[in-house]
Amino acid sequence: MKHHPHSFHVPVDRRRFFKSMAAVSAGFALPGFLAEALTVSPTVTQGPYYPLAKNIPLDKDNDLVQLNDQLTLAAGVVTYVGGRVLDNSGNPIRGALVELWHADREGDYLYSTSATRNAACDVNFAGFGQFLTGSDGRFGFRTIKAGLYRGRTRHLHWGITLPGELKRTTTQTGWNEVAYDLNGIQWDTQNSNDNIFSTVANASQRASMLLDFTPVPATTTGEQEATWDYVAGRTFTEPTYPNGGSLVVGGVPVDGGRFKLTIPAYVGYSYEVYANPTLADLGWRALPFALSATGVLDRNIHTSAAEGALDIYVEDPAEKGFYYVGYRVPGANIGTP
Ligand SMILES: [Fe+2]
């Protein structure tokens, strides 16, 4: 994917200019003078209510209003939120996992009290959803206007997992509004004193979290919508990771008598080494290995934490000098020591 910076002749509007200055003063590396200045989405706490791994609901599509195929929809103002996942040069990121979870109309979370579904939560509310972005980086959700709960103003929780990464980055968005509870009483906690939104130091980043919701055109049911782009804090190169498979790798003798195997490694992939070191033993067998020329040969599998060349060391000479390295995709590395 290639980014096309704006033409030199495009006038810089005041708002964009302000944003670019704010980004510079905050020390962010801008991709270039002509590139559009984007506000990097701030990372804020995941909070305690992301569903535990064993409790991820079966219904995890991008419609939180309808749970499974139930006829009764969740209570609340139907709300659409959508946008793009971008890198800091504005390139859309394909294959990003976008996750959304938030409180129901009354302010109750799906899993706010225990490992099982919170009985206080609207039984028709899905409470959690996922969306995998396409080549345009776009995502979209249908949900309801989040309810208020003590200590916070109105907000949505987001998780973004970029392709090739194992770690979820979390952020939150709110409503650019004065918040009122269901009785029409002004809520104690507003954006200005909320302990998440008010503590994002960069004004441009803080503003980017507070979305302007507007009525959905041509509807009479009060539905609202907002656009929000998640901007990752770095440039992004789409990984071209293989499926699980194997390589045949030559072993290079090193001092001390071992053989060094250099393999292309990917984040989260797991590697194992096999060889038939002697003609007397024709069966392939796993070879224990070390990650250094002198380290203990104490592992049969290694999960790489980084992308790039990975050196692993084995002791047994392979027939004709070649080893068989099996590799598995992230998450497929269980069951083997
Ligand atoms: Fe929350």
Side-chain angles (χ1 to χ4, degrees), residues 46-49 101-103 109 149 152-153 155-157 172:
Q46 173 170 290
Y49 302 137
W101 69 101
H102 65 88
Y109 278 91
Y149 62 90
R152 290 296 313 274
T153 195
H155 63 279
L156 303 177
H157 290 265
Q172 300 182 22

Side-chain angles (χ1 to χ4, degrees), residues 264-286:
Y266 303 96
V267 177
Y269 279 59
S270 299
Y271 298 87
E272 299 161 76
V273 183
Y274 295 87
N276 58 342
T278 70
L279 286 170
D281 179 5
L282 294 178
W284 295 94
R285 66 183 181 90

Side-chain angles (χ1 to χ4, degrees), residues 92-115:
I93 297 178
R94 175 176 71 168
L97 179 67
V98 181
E99 297 177 296
L100 168 66
W101 69 101
H102 65 88
D104 71 4
R105 179 175 178 267
E106 308 265 339
D108 292 309
Y109 278 91
L110 221 54
Y111 298 110
S112 59
T113 55
S114 69

Side-chain angles (χ1 to χ4, degrees), residues 2-298:
K2 188 162 164 48
H3 176 59
H4 301 283
H6 284 262
S7 152
F8 188 77
H9 303 288
V10 172
V12 178
D13 68 54
R14 279 175 57 84
R15 185 152 177 250
R16 181 169 298 154
F17 183 70
F18 170 76
K19 283 188 174 181
S20 79
M21 294 311 289
V24 168
S25 65
F28 291 101
L30 292 172
F33 177 70
L34 296 177
E36 181 177 8
L38 295 175
T39 300
V40 171
S41 299
T43 297
V44 300
T45 180
Q46 173 170 290
Y49 302 137
Y50 180 85
L52 302 173
K54 62 186 171 67
N55 295 324
I56 294 281
L58 285 176
D59 179 353
K60 53 187 179 185
D61 64 22
N62 65 331
D63 183 8
L64 283 65
V65 177
Q66 184 175 31
L67 180 59
N68 301 318
D69 54 358
Q70 289 178 200
L71 294 177
T72 307
L73 303 180
V77 176
V78 171
T79 298
Y80 296 85
V81 189
R84 296 168 299 166
V85 177
L86 304 173
D87 74 7
N88 65 357
S89 298
N91 298 309
I93 297 178
R94 175 176 71 168
L97 179 67
V98 181
E99 297 177 296
L100 168 66
W101 69 101
H102 65 88
D104 71 4
R105 179 175 178 267
E106 308 265 339
D108 292 309
Y109 278 91
L110 221 54
Y111 298 110
S112 59
T113 55
S114 69
T116 56
R117 187 182 169 103
N118 174 14
C121 186
D122 180 352
V123 295
N124 299 308
F125 180 50
F128 174 84
Q130 296 180 322
F131 195 99
L132 199 63
T133 60
S135 59
D136 55 4
R138 290 199 176 278
F139 65 90
F141 289 89
R142 183 174 81 142
T143 188
I144 51 108
K145 187 171 187 175
L148 293 160
Y149 62 90
R150 197 56 55 197
R152 290 296 313 274
T153 195
R154 196 185 314 282
H155 63 279
L156 303 177
H157 290 265
W158 299 93
I160 312 289
T161 308
L162 300 186
E165 296 188 352
L166 297 177
K167 197 170 183 311
R168 181 187 313 115
T169 299
T170 53
T171 191
Q172 300 182 22
T173 59
W175 273 251
N176 190 13
E177 64 166 12
V178 176
Y180 293 89
D181 70 14
L182 295 173
N183 298 314
I185 310 292
Q186 189 167 322
W187 192 246
D188 288 344
T189 307
Q190 298 289 336
N191 295 329
S192 56
N193 64 335
D194 180 83
N195 61 15
I196 299 297
F197 296 130
S198 71
T199 55
V200 173
N202 180 285
S204 180
Q205 288 189 309
R206 192 167 64 248
S208 76
M209 305 170 84
L210 302 175
L211 309 186
D212 293 312
F213 284 83
T214 56
V216 175
T219 60
T220 55
T221 51
E223 299 183 359
Q224 297 195 327
E225 64 182 1
T227 300
W228 172 62
D229 289 340
Y230 175 83
V231 182
R234 58 183 181 78
T235 57
F236 185 78
T237 305
E238 187 168 322
T240 51
Y241 289 172
N243 295 319
S246 62
L247 301 163
V248 175
V249 181
V252 177
V254 295
D255 288 348
R258 289 183 181 174
F259 299 88
K260 180 171 82 170
L261 282 57
T262 301
I263 56 174
Y266 303 96
V267 177
Y269 279 59
S270 299
Y271 298 87
E272 299 161 76
V273 183
Y274 295 87
N276 58 342
T278 70
L279 286 170
D281 179 5
L282 294 178
W284 295 94
R285 66 183 181 90
L287 295 183
F289 59 89
L291 297 180
S292 71
T294 55
V296 181
L297 297 157
D298 62 351

